[in-house]
Amino acid sequence: MQQGEFEEAKTFNLTDALDYSSNAIMVKNIKVENNCMIQVFVFDYGKVQSYEKSPFLRFIYIIEGKAEVVINNNSSFMQKGDSILIPGHAKSSIEANHKFKMICTTIKSE
C-alpha cells in the first residue's frame, strides 16, 4: 500500500470510513501518487474549504448528504450521487450547508 489508509485489492465502504465530527472537516487518504490523490472527506454543517486558483483539477463525488460547490462565483448545489469537475486554476470552495461526505480526486494539471 502506497501512502493511503486503505489496502489495495480489498473491499472497503467509504460511507463508514469516517464519521462526522462536531465543527470539523475530516479527511482520509485512499491513495496518493505523484500526480493523483484520492481522498474521502466528511464536512460538518457550516464548514467551508476554499481554494485560491489551485493548479489542480478536482473531481468531486457526493457519497452522502448535500453540498454547495462554488466555482468562480457560480454555485452548484449537489446531493448524494452528484459529481462535478473543478477545473485547475479556478477559484473554488466546497461548503457544507448540510452535513455531507464526498470523494475528492485531485489531479496535478500542467
Side-chain angles (χ1 to χ4, degrees), residues 50-60 69-76 78 83-94 104-110:
S50 296
Y51 300 94
E52 287 293 324
K53 298 191 177 186
S54 167
F56 304 106
L57 171 86
R58 285 186 307 283
F59 169 76
I60 304 297
V69 176
V70 181
I71 303 170
N72 293 326
N73 297 319
N74 295 312
S75 289
S76 294
M78 302 174 63
S83 302
I84 196 165
L85 286 170
I86 301 174
H89 305 287
K91 182 178 178 184
S92 65
S93 64
I94 301 169
C104 178
T105 301
T106 304
I107 301 169
K108 185 176 181 180
S109 308
E110 294 301 318

PDB file of all heavy atoms in Angstrom, residues 50-60 69-76 78 83-94 104-110:
ATOM      1  N   SER A  50     -11.819  26.388   1.045  1.00  0.00           N
ATOM      2  CA  SER A  50     -11.618  27.282  -0.098  1.00  0.00           C
ATOM      3  C   SER A  50     -10.295  27.011  -0.787  1.00  0.00           C
ATOM      4  O   SER A  50      -9.315  26.627  -0.140  1.00  0.00           O
ATOM      5  CB  SER A  50     -11.639  28.742   0.365  1.00  0.00           C
ATOM      6  OG  SER A  50     -12.898  29.065   0.888  1.00  0.00           O
ATOM      7  N   TYR A  51     -10.283  27.240  -2.087  1.00  0.00           N
ATOM      8  CA  TYR A  51      -9.070  27.084  -2.896  1.00  0.00           C
ATOM      9  C   TYR A  51      -8.894  28.364  -3.709  1.00  0.00           C
ATOM     10  O   TYR A  51      -9.802  28.775  -4.430  1.00  0.00           O
ATOM     11  CB  TYR A  51      -9.196  25.891  -3.856  1.00  0.00           C
ATOM     12  CG  TYR A  51      -9.417  24.574  -3.171  1.00  0.00           C
ATOM     13  CD1 TYR A  51     -10.706  24.083  -2.986  1.00  0.00           C
ATOM     14  CD2 TYR A  51      -8.349  23.813  -2.717  1.00  0.00           C
ATOM     15  CE1 TYR A  51     -10.921  22.864  -2.365  1.00  0.00           C
ATOM     16  CE2 TYR A  51      -8.557  22.592  -2.095  1.00  0.00           C
ATOM     17  CZ  TYR A  51      -9.841  22.126  -1.919  1.00  0.00           C
ATOM     18  OH  TYR A  51     -10.053  20.925  -1.306  1.00  0.00           O
ATOM     19  N   GLU A  52      -7.751  29.002  -3.610  1.00  0.00           N
ATOM     20  CA  GLU A  52      -7.445  30.205  -4.380  1.00  0.00           C
ATOM     21  C   GLU A  52      -6.699  29.819  -5.645  1.00  0.00           C
ATOM     22  O   GLU A  52      -5.478  29.684  -5.636  1.00  0.00           O
ATOM     23  CB  GLU A  52      -6.613  31.181  -3.546  1.00  0.00           C
ATOM     24  CG  GLU A  52      -7.379  31.885  -2.458  1.00  0.00           C
ATOM     25  CD  GLU A  52      -8.436  32.846  -2.994  1.00  0.00           C
ATOM     26  OE1 GLU A  52      -8.204  33.487  -4.032  1.00  0.00           O
ATOM     27  OE2 GLU A  52      -9.498  32.933  -2.357  1.00  0.00           O
ATOM     28  N   LYS A  53      -7.422  29.585  -6.701  1.00  0.00           N
ATOM     29  CA  LYS A  53      -6.840  29.277  -8.008  1.00  0.00           C
ATOM     30  C   LYS A  53      -5.803  28.161  -7.944  1.00  0.00           C
ATOM     31  O   LYS A  53      -4.686  28.283  -8.413  1.00  0.00           O
ATOM     32  CB  LYS A  53      -6.275  30.534  -8.640  1.00  0.00           C
ATOM     33  CG  LYS A  53      -7.356  31.572  -8.877  1.00  0.00           C
ATOM     34  CD  LYS A  53      -6.893  32.695  -9.728  1.00  0.00           C
ATOM     35  CE  LYS A  53      -8.071  33.637  -9.959  1.00  0.00           C
ATOM     36  NZ  LYS A  53      -7.782  34.686 -10.870  1.00  0.00           N
ATOM     37  N   SER A  54      -6.187  27.056  -7.352  1.00  0.00           N
ATOM     38  CA  SER A  54      -5.331  25.873  -7.253  1.00  0.00           C
ATOM     39  C   SER A  54      -4.973  25.368  -8.644  1.00  0.00           C
ATOM     40  O   SER A  54      -5.826  25.345  -9.534  1.00  0.00           O
ATOM     41  CB  SER A  54      -6.070  24.783  -6.478  1.00  0.00           C
ATOM     42  OG  SER A  54      -5.417  23.546  -6.607  1.00  0.00           O
ATOM     43  N   PRO A  55      -3.727  24.927  -8.850  1.00  0.00           N
ATOM     44  CA  PRO A  55      -3.341  24.411 -10.168  1.00  0.00           C
ATOM     45  C   PRO A  55      -3.855  22.997 -10.441  1.00  0.00           C
ATOM     46  O   PRO A  55      -3.554  22.417 -11.472  1.00  0.00           O
ATOM     47  CB  PRO A  55      -1.810  24.411 -10.099  1.00  0.00           C
ATOM     48  CG  PRO A  55      -1.511  24.228  -8.653  1.00  0.00           C
ATOM     49  CD  PRO A  55      -2.615  24.950  -7.916  1.00  0.00           C
ATOM     50  N   PHE A  56      -4.640  22.439  -9.519  1.00  0.00           N
ATOM     51  CA  PHE A  56      -5.076  21.056  -9.636  1.00  0.00           C
ATOM     52  C   PHE A  56      -6.527  20.934 -10.096  1.00  0.00           C
ATOM     53  O   PHE A  56      -7.387  21.685  -9.661  1.00  0.00           O
ATOM     54  CB  PHE A  56      -4.917  20.338  -8.292  1.00  0.00           C
ATOM     55  CG  PHE A  56      -3.531  20.393  -7.756  1.00  0.00           C
ATOM     56  CD1 PHE A  56      -3.218  21.213  -6.686  1.00  0.00           C
ATOM     57  CD2 PHE A  56      -2.511  19.648  -8.332  1.00  0.00           C
ATOM     58  CE1 PHE A  56      -1.929  21.272  -6.192  1.00  0.00           C
ATOM     59  CE2 PHE A  56      -1.213  19.692  -7.848  1.00  0.00           C
ATOM     60  CZ  PHE A  56      -0.927  20.513  -6.778  1.00  0.00           C
ATOM     61  N   LEU A  57      -6.794  19.963 -10.959  1.00  0.00           N
ATOM     62  CA  LEU A  57      -8.146  19.576 -11.331  1.00  0.00           C
ATOM     63  C   LEU A  57      -8.683  18.695 -10.202  1.00  0.00           C
ATOM     64  O   LEU A  57      -7.961  17.834  -9.695  1.00  0.00           O
ATOM     65  CB  LEU A  57      -8.123  18.777 -12.642  1.00  0.00           C
ATOM     66  CG  LEU A  57      -9.448  18.134 -13.040  1.00  0.00           C
ATOM     67  CD1 LEU A  57     -10.284  19.144 -13.807  1.00  0.00           C
ATOM     68  CD2 LEU A  57      -9.219  16.898 -13.863  1.00  0.00           C
ATOM     69  N   ARG A  58      -9.939  18.920  -9.792  1.00  0.00           N
ATOM     70  CA  ARG A  58     -10.533  18.091  -8.745  1.00  0.00           C
ATOM     71  C   ARG A  58     -11.868  17.517  -9.225  1.00  0.00           C
ATOM     72  O   ARG A  58     -12.697  18.239  -9.765  1.00  0.00           O
ATOM     73  CB  ARG A  58     -10.723  18.908  -7.468  1.00  0.00           C
ATOM     74  CG  ARG A  58      -9.418  19.140  -6.743  1.00  0.00           C
ATOM     75  CD  ARG A  58      -9.615  19.834  -5.404  1.00  0.00           C
ATOM     76  NE  ARG A  58     -10.382  21.051  -5.484  1.00  0.00           N
ATOM     77  CZ  ARG A  58      -9.922  22.222  -5.926  1.00  0.00           C
ATOM     78  NH1 ARG A  58      -8.702  22.332  -6.352  1.00  0.00           N
ATOM     79  NH2 ARG A  58     -10.698  23.277  -5.954  1.00  0.00           N
ATOM     80  N   PHE A  59     -12.039  16.217  -9.022  1.00  0.00           N
ATOM     81  CA  PHE A  59     -13.300  15.530  -9.284  1.00  0.00           C
ATOM     82  C   PHE A  59     -13.950  15.294  -7.939  1.00  0.00           C
ATOM     83  O   PHE A  59     -13.351  14.686  -7.038  1.00  0.00           O
ATOM     84  CB  PHE A  59     -13.050  14.195  -9.994  1.00  0.00           C
ATOM     85  CG  PHE A  59     -14.270  13.316 -10.054  1.00  0.00           C
ATOM     86  CD1 PHE A  59     -15.292  13.594 -10.957  1.00  0.00           C
ATOM     87  CD2 PHE A  59     -14.397  12.228  -9.212  1.00  0.00           C
ATOM     88  CE1 PHE A  59     -16.423  12.785 -11.011  1.00  0.00           C
ATOM     89  CE2 PHE A  59     -15.527  11.415  -9.255  1.00  0.00           C
ATOM     90  CZ  PHE A  59     -16.535  11.694 -10.158  1.00  0.00           C
ATOM     91  N   ILE A  60     -15.184  15.784  -7.774  1.00  0.00           N
ATOM     92  CA  ILE A  60     -15.917  15.661  -6.509  1.00  0.00           C
ATOM     93  C   ILE A  60     -17.114  14.743  -6.735  1.00  0.00           C
ATOM     94  O   ILE A  60     -17.856  14.907  -7.711  1.00  0.00           O
ATOM     95  CB  ILE A  60     -16.426  17.047  -6.040  1.00  0.00           C
ATOM     96  CG1 ILE A  60     -15.283  18.049  -5.911  1.00  0.00           C
ATOM     97  CG2 ILE A  60     -17.230  16.918  -4.742  1.00  0.00           C
ATOM     98  CD1 ILE A  60     -14.238  17.707  -4.896  1.00  0.00           C
ATOM     99  N   VAL A  69     -20.938  23.606  -4.091  1.00  0.00           N
ATOM    100  CA  VAL A  69     -19.627  23.805  -4.687  1.00  0.00           C
ATOM    101  C   VAL A  69     -19.696  25.107  -5.475  1.00  0.00           C
ATOM    102  O   VAL A  69     -20.580  25.295  -6.309  1.00  0.00           O
ATOM    103  CB  VAL A  69     -19.234  22.628  -5.605  1.00  0.00           C
ATOM    104  CG1 VAL A  69     -17.906  22.911  -6.290  1.00  0.00           C
ATOM    105  CG2 VAL A  69     -19.142  21.337  -4.789  1.00  0.00           C
ATOM    106  N   VAL A  70     -18.766  26.021  -5.155  1.00  0.00           N
ATOM    107  CA  VAL A  70     -18.726  27.321  -5.807  1.00  0.00           C
ATOM    108  C   VAL A  70     -17.461  27.369  -6.664  1.00  0.00           C
ATOM    109  O   VAL A  70     -16.361  27.188  -6.151  1.00  0.00           O
ATOM    110  CB  VAL A  70     -18.735  28.473  -4.782  1.00  0.00           C
ATOM    111  CG1 VAL A  70     -18.714  29.819  -5.489  1.00  0.00           C
ATOM    112  CG2 VAL A  70     -19.940  28.366  -3.849  1.00  0.00           C
ATOM    113  N   ILE A  71     -17.634  27.587  -7.974  1.00  0.00           N
ATOM    114  CA  ILE A  71     -16.507  27.675  -8.909  1.00  0.00           C
ATOM    115  C   ILE A  71     -16.590  29.022  -9.600  1.00  0.00           C
ATOM    116  O   ILE A  71     -17.586  29.315 -10.279  1.00  0.00           O
ATOM    117  CB  ILE A  71     -16.549  26.533  -9.952  1.00  0.00           C
ATOM    118  CG1 ILE A  71     -16.560  25.166  -9.255  1.00  0.00           C
ATOM    119  CG2 ILE A  71     -15.368  26.645 -10.912  1.00  0.00           C
ATOM    120  CD1 ILE A  71     -16.845  24.005 -10.187  1.00  0.00           C
ATOM    121  N   ASN A  72     -15.561  29.839  -9.406  1.00  0.00           N
ATOM    122  CA  ASN A  72     -15.534  31.192  -9.991  1.00  0.00           C
ATOM    123  C   ASN A  72     -16.853  31.932  -9.742  1.00  0.00           C
ATOM    124  O   ASN A  72     -17.461  32.485 -10.652  1.00  0.00           O
ATOM    125  CB  ASN A  72     -15.199  31.133 -11.486  1.00  0.00           C
ATOM    126  CG  ASN A  72     -13.791  30.657 -11.728  1.00  0.00           C
ATOM    127  OD1 ASN A  72     -12.885  30.933 -10.940  1.00  0.00           O
ATOM    128  ND2 ASN A  72     -13.587  29.925 -12.811  1.00  0.00           N
ATOM    129  N   ASN A  73     -17.305  31.897  -8.492  1.00  0.00           N
ATOM    130  CA  ASN A  73     -18.505  32.598  -8.013  1.00  0.00           C
ATOM    131  C   ASN A  73     -19.821  32.027  -8.548  1.00  0.00           C
ATOM    132  O   ASN A  73     -20.871  32.655  -8.394  1.00  0.00           O
ATOM    133  CB  ASN A  73     -18.428  34.102  -8.293  1.00  0.00           C
ATOM    134  CG  ASN A  73     -17.278  34.746  -7.557  1.00  0.00           C
ATOM    135  OD1 ASN A  73     -17.021  34.437  -6.398  1.00  0.00           O
ATOM    136  ND2 ASN A  73     -16.559  35.622  -8.235  1.00  0.00           N
ATOM    137  N   ASN A  74     -19.820  30.836  -9.160  1.00  0.00           N
ATOM    138  CA  ASN A  74     -21.044  30.165  -9.604  1.00  0.00           C
ATOM    139  C   ASN A  74     -21.305  28.953  -8.716  1.00  0.00           C
ATOM    140  O   ASN A  74     -20.469  28.055  -8.639  1.00  0.00           O
ATOM    141  CB  ASN A  74     -20.923  29.724 -11.073  1.00  0.00           C
ATOM    142  CG  ASN A  74     -20.819  30.896 -12.017  1.00  0.00           C
ATOM    143  OD1 ASN A  74     -21.591  31.841 -11.929  1.00  0.00           O
ATOM    144  ND2 ASN A  74     -19.839  30.848 -12.905  1.00  0.00           N
ATOM    145  N   SER A  75     -22.466  28.938  -8.062  1.00  0.00           N
ATOM    146  CA  SER A  75     -22.808  27.866  -7.128  1.00  0.00           C
ATOM    147  C   SER A  75     -23.481  26.695  -7.817  1.00  0.00           C
ATOM    148  O   SER A  75     -24.313  26.882  -8.705  1.00  0.00           O
ATOM    149  CB  SER A  75     -23.762  28.377  -6.045  1.00  0.00           C
ATOM    150  OG  SER A  75     -23.100  29.237  -5.166  1.00  0.00           O
ATOM    151  N   SER A  76     -23.119  25.492  -7.376  1.00  0.00           N
ATOM    152  CA  SER A  76     -23.802  24.259  -7.767  1.00  0.00           C
ATOM    153  C   SER A  76     -24.213  23.559  -6.480  1.00  0.00           C
ATOM    154  O   SER A  76     -23.374  23.318  -5.609  1.00  0.00           O
ATOM    155  CB  SER A  76     -22.878  23.342  -8.563  1.00  0.00           C
ATOM    156  OG  SER A  76     -22.541  23.918  -9.796  1.00  0.00           O
ATOM    157  N   MET A  78     -25.358  20.293  -4.720  1.00  0.00           N
ATOM    158  CA  MET A  78     -25.186  18.873  -5.023  1.00  0.00           C
ATOM    159  C   MET A  78     -25.781  18.015  -3.922  1.00  0.00           C
ATOM    160  O   MET A  78     -25.843  18.436  -2.764  1.00  0.00           O
ATOM    161  CB  MET A  78     -23.694  18.575  -5.198  1.00  0.00           C
ATOM    162  CG  MET A  78     -23.049  19.416  -6.303  1.00  0.00           C
ATOM    163  SD  MET A  78     -21.270  19.185  -6.402  1.00  0.00           S
ATOM    164  CE  MET A  78     -21.187  17.453  -6.837  1.00  0.00           C
ATOM    165  N   SER A  83     -21.842  14.541  -9.087  1.00  0.00           N
ATOM    166  CA  SER A  83     -20.401  14.739  -9.303  1.00  0.00           C
ATOM    167  C   SER A  83     -20.179  16.066 -10.004  1.00  0.00           C
ATOM    168  O   SER A  83     -21.071  16.571 -10.688  1.00  0.00           O
ATOM    169  CB  SER A  83     -19.820  13.642 -10.196  1.00  0.00           C
ATOM    170  OG  SER A  83     -20.026  12.384  -9.639  1.00  0.00           O
ATOM    171  N   ILE A  84     -18.963  16.595  -9.863  1.00  0.00           N
ATOM    172  CA  ILE A  84     -18.582  17.813 -10.577  1.00  0.00           C
ATOM    173  C   ILE A  84     -17.072  17.823 -10.754  1.00  0.00           C
ATOM    174  O   ILE A  84     -16.343  17.271  -9.916  1.00  0.00           O
ATOM    175  CB  ILE A  84     -19.070  19.083  -9.832  1.00  0.00           C
ATOM    176  CG1 ILE A  84     -19.018  20.311 -10.740  1.00  0.00           C
ATOM    177  CG2 ILE A  84     -18.297  19.300  -8.537  1.00  0.00           C
ATOM    178  CD1 ILE A  84     -19.802  21.501 -10.208  1.00  0.00           C
ATOM    179  N   LEU A  85     -16.620  18.425 -11.841  1.00  0.00           N
ATOM    180  CA  LEU A  85     -15.193  18.642 -12.074  1.00  0.00           C
ATOM    181  C   LEU A  85     -14.891  20.101 -11.791  1.00  0.00           C
ATOM    182  O   LEU A  85     -15.523  20.998 -12.357  1.00  0.00           O
ATOM    183  CB  LEU A  85     -14.814  18.319 -13.520  1.00  0.00           C
ATOM    184  CG  LEU A  85     -14.762  16.850 -13.889  1.00  0.00           C
ATOM    185  CD1 LEU A  85     -14.625  16.701 -15.403  1.00  0.00           C
ATOM    186  CD2 LEU A  85     -13.603  16.158 -13.184  1.00  0.00           C
ATOM    187  N   ILE A  86     -13.918  20.344 -10.925  1.00  0.00           N
ATOM    188  CA  ILE A  86     -13.456  21.700 -10.642  1.00  0.00           C
ATOM    189  C   ILE A  86     -12.170  21.892 -11.429  1.00  0.00           C
ATOM    190  O   ILE A  86     -11.172  21.208 -11.170  1.00  0.00           O
ATOM    191  CB  ILE A  86     -13.204  21.911  -9.136  1.00  0.00           C
ATOM    192  CG1 ILE A  86     -14.485  21.651  -8.337  1.00  0.00           C
ATOM    193  CG2 ILE A  86     -12.669  23.320  -8.887  1.00  0.00           C
ATOM    194  CD1 ILE A  86     -14.305  21.688  -6.826  1.00  0.00           C
ATOM    195  N   PRO A  87     -12.193  22.798 -12.421  1.00  0.00           N
ATOM    196  CA  PRO A  87     -11.004  22.949 -13.263  1.00  0.00           C
ATOM    197  C   PRO A  87      -9.813  23.506 -12.495  1.00  0.00           C
ATOM    198  O   PRO A  87      -9.978  24.228 -11.508  1.00  0.00           O
ATOM    199  CB  PRO A  87     -11.452  23.946 -14.343  1.00  0.00           C
ATOM    200  CG  PRO A  87     -12.814  24.385 -14.018  1.00  0.00           C
ATOM    201  CD  PRO A  87     -13.280  23.692 -12.801  1.00  0.00           C
ATOM    202  N   GLY A  88      -8.620  23.166 -12.976  1.00  0.00           N
ATOM    203  CA  GLY A  88      -7.411  23.746 -12.410  1.00  0.00           C
ATOM    204  C   GLY A  88      -7.403  25.247 -12.643  1.00  0.00           C
ATOM    205  O   GLY A  88      -7.982  25.739 -13.603  1.00  0.00           O
ATOM    206  N   HIS A  89      -6.791  25.983 -11.735  1.00  0.00           N
ATOM    207  CA  HIS A  89      -6.629  27.434 -11.809  1.00  0.00           C
ATOM    208  C   HIS A  89      -7.940  28.191 -11.655  1.00  0.00           C
ATOM    209  O   HIS A  89      -8.023  29.358 -12.004  1.00  0.00           O
ATOM    210  CB  HIS A  89      -5.898  27.845 -13.091  1.00  0.00           C
ATOM    211  CG  HIS A  89      -4.580  27.157 -13.256  1.00  0.00           C
ATOM    212  ND1 HIS A  89      -3.471  27.476 -12.504  1.00  0.00           N
ATOM    213  CD2 HIS A  89      -4.210  26.136 -14.044  1.00  0.00           C
ATOM    214  CE1 HIS A  89      -2.472  26.695 -12.844  1.00  0.00           C
ATOM    215  NE2 HIS A  89      -2.900  25.857 -13.776  1.00  0.00           N
ATOM    216  N   ALA A  90      -8.979  27.526 -11.130  1.00  0.00           N
ATOM    217  CA  ALA A  90     -10.256  28.191 -10.853  1.00  0.00           C
ATOM    218  C   ALA A  90     -10.340  28.468  -9.355  1.00  0.00           C
ATOM    219  O   ALA A  90      -9.914  27.651  -8.539  1.00  0.00           O
ATOM    220  CB  ALA A  90     -11.424  27.313 -11.283  1.00  0.00           C
ATOM    221  N   LYS A  91     -10.895  29.607  -9.002  1.00  0.00           N
ATOM    222  CA  LYS A  91     -11.168  29.908  -7.599  1.00  0.00           C
ATOM    223  C   LYS A  91     -12.399  29.100  -7.209  1.00  0.00           C
ATOM    224  O   LYS A  91     -13.406  29.116  -7.923  1.00  0.00           O
ATOM    225  CB  LYS A  91     -11.422  31.397  -7.416  1.00  0.00           C
ATOM    226  CG  LYS A  91     -11.666  31.785  -5.983  1.00  0.00           C
ATOM    227  CD  LYS A  91     -11.868  33.276  -5.840  1.00  0.00           C
ATOM    228  CE  LYS A  91     -12.149  33.605  -4.391  1.00  0.00           C
ATOM    229  NZ  LYS A  91     -12.437  35.026  -4.208  1.00  0.00           N
ATOM    230  N   SER A  92     -12.318  28.360  -6.101  1.00  0.00           N
ATOM    231  CA  SER A  92     -13.442  27.498  -5.733  1.00  0.00           C
ATOM    232  C   SER A  92     -13.549  27.317  -4.233  1.00  0.00           C
ATOM    233  O   SER A  92     -12.603  27.582  -3.493  1.00  0.00           O
ATOM    234  CB  SER A  92     -13.309  26.126  -6.407  1.00  0.00           C
ATOM    235  OG  SER A  92     -12.169  25.465  -5.921  1.00  0.00           O
ATOM    236  N   SER A  93     -14.720  26.847  -3.812  1.00  0.00           N
ATOM    237  CA  SER A  93     -14.921  26.461  -2.409  1.00  0.00           C
ATOM    238  C   SER A  93     -15.936  25.337  -2.365  1.00  0.00           C
ATOM    239  O   SER A  93     -16.752  25.161  -3.271  1.00  0.00           O
ATOM    240  CB  SER A  93     -15.390  27.640  -1.560  1.00  0.00           C
ATOM    241  OG  SER A  93     -16.658  28.092  -1.975  1.00  0.00           O
ATOM    242  N   ILE A  94     -15.845  24.561  -1.296  1.00  0.00           N
ATOM    243  CA  ILE A  94     -16.786  23.476  -1.028  1.00  0.00           C
ATOM    244  C   ILE A  94     -17.398  23.799   0.319  1.00  0.00           C
ATOM    245  O   ILE A  94     -16.674  23.975   1.310  1.00  0.00           O
ATOM    246  CB  ILE A  94     -16.069  22.110  -1.036  1.00  0.00           C
ATOM    247  CG1 ILE A  94     -15.402  21.891  -2.400  1.00  0.00           C
ATOM    248  CG2 ILE A  94     -17.043  20.994  -0.702  1.00  0.00           C
ATOM    249  CD1 ILE A  94     -14.455  20.716  -2.438  1.00  0.00           C
ATOM    250  N   CYS A 104     -12.916  13.058  -3.184  1.00  0.00           N
ATOM    251  CA  CYS A 104     -12.235  14.081  -3.967  1.00  0.00           C
ATOM    252  C   CYS A 104     -11.000  13.441  -4.610  1.00  0.00           C
ATOM    253  O   CYS A 104     -10.141  12.924  -3.905  1.00  0.00           O
ATOM    254  CB  CYS A 104     -11.808  15.252  -3.089  1.00  0.00           C
ATOM    255  SG  CYS A 104     -10.913  16.536  -3.993  1.00  0.00           S
ATOM    256  N   THR A 105     -10.965  13.471  -5.933  1.00  0.00           N
ATOM    257  CA  THR A 105      -9.798  13.017  -6.670  1.00  0.00           C
ATOM    258  C   THR A 105      -9.113  14.249  -7.235  1.00  0.00           C
ATOM    259  O   THR A 105      -9.720  15.011  -8.000  1.00  0.00           O
ATOM    260  CB  THR A 105     -10.197  12.065  -7.812  1.00  0.00           C
ATOM    261  OG1 THR A 105     -10.889  10.942  -7.257  1.00  0.00           O
ATOM    262  CG2 THR A 105      -8.960  11.570  -8.578  1.00  0.00           C
ATOM    263  N   THR A 106      -7.880  14.472  -6.807  1.00  0.00           N
ATOM    264  CA  THR A 106      -7.117  15.652  -7.215  1.00  0.00           C
ATOM    265  C   THR A 106      -6.046  15.201  -8.202  1.00  0.00           C
ATOM    266  O   THR A 106      -5.275  14.282  -7.914  1.00  0.00           O
ATOM    267  CB  THR A 106      -6.464  16.321  -5.991  1.00  0.00           C
ATOM    268  OG1 THR A 106      -7.483  16.633  -5.044  1.00  0.00           O
ATOM    269  CG2 THR A 106      -5.715  17.581  -6.383  1.00  0.00           C
ATOM    270  N   ILE A 107      -6.014  15.873  -9.361  1.00  0.00           N
ATOM    271  CA  ILE A 107      -5.069  15.511 -10.414  1.00  0.00           C
ATOM    272  C   ILE A 107      -4.217  16.735 -10.731  1.00  0.00           C
ATOM    273  O   ILE A 107      -4.750  17.816 -10.998  1.00  0.00           O
ATOM    274  CB  ILE A 107      -5.806  15.031 -11.676  1.00  0.00           C
ATOM    275  CG1 ILE A 107      -6.669  13.817 -11.335  1.00  0.00           C
ATOM    276  CG2 ILE A 107      -4.806  14.711 -12.786  1.00  0.00           C
ATOM    277  CD1 ILE A 107      -7.629  13.415 -12.411  1.00  0.00           C
ATOM    278  N   LYS A 108      -2.908  16.532 -10.695  1.00  0.00           N
ATOM    279  CA  LYS A 108      -1.995  17.631 -10.996  1.00  0.00           C
ATOM    280  C   LYS A 108      -2.116  18.010 -12.461  1.00  0.00           C
ATOM    281  O   LYS A 108      -1.976  17.158 -13.352  1.00  0.00           O
ATOM    282  CB  LYS A 108      -0.565  17.226 -10.675  1.00  0.00           C
ATOM    283  CG  LYS A 108       0.432  18.325 -10.844  1.00  0.00           C
ATOM    284  CD  LYS A 108       1.822  17.868 -10.422  1.00  0.00           C
ATOM    285  CE  LYS A 108       2.823  18.993 -10.585  1.00  0.00           C
ATOM    286  NZ  LYS A 108       4.160  18.576 -10.196  1.00  0.00           N
ATOM    287  N   SER A 109      -2.413  19.285 -12.726  1.00  0.00           N
ATOM    288  CA  SER A 109      -2.535  19.791 -14.089  1.00  0.00           C
ATOM    289  C   SER A 109      -1.218  20.419 -14.518  1.00  0.00           C
ATOM    290  O   SER A 109      -0.351  20.716 -13.704  1.00  0.00           O
ATOM    291  CB  SER A 109      -3.610  20.870 -14.155  1.00  0.00           C
ATOM    292  OG  SER A 109      -4.812  20.427 -13.584  1.00  0.00           O
ATOM    293  N   GLU A 110      -1.092  20.649 -15.794  1.00  0.00           N
ATOM    294  CA  GLU A 110       0.102  21.345 -16.317  1.00  0.00           C
ATOM    295  C   GLU A 110      -0.056  22.821 -16.138  1.00  0.00           C
ATOM    296  O   GLU A 110      -1.050  23.394 -16.120  1.00  0.00           O
ATOM    297  CB  GLU A 110       0.289  21.002 -17.798  1.00  0.00           C
ATOM    298  CG  GLU A 110       0.614  19.548 -18.014  1.00  0.00           C
ATOM    299  CD  GLU A 110       1.862  19.069 -17.325  1.00  0.00           C
ATOM    300  OE1 GLU A 110       2.886  19.783 -17.327  1.00  0.00           O
ATOM    301  OE2 GLU A 110       1.838  17.973 -16.777  1.00  0.00           O
TER     302      GLU A 110
END
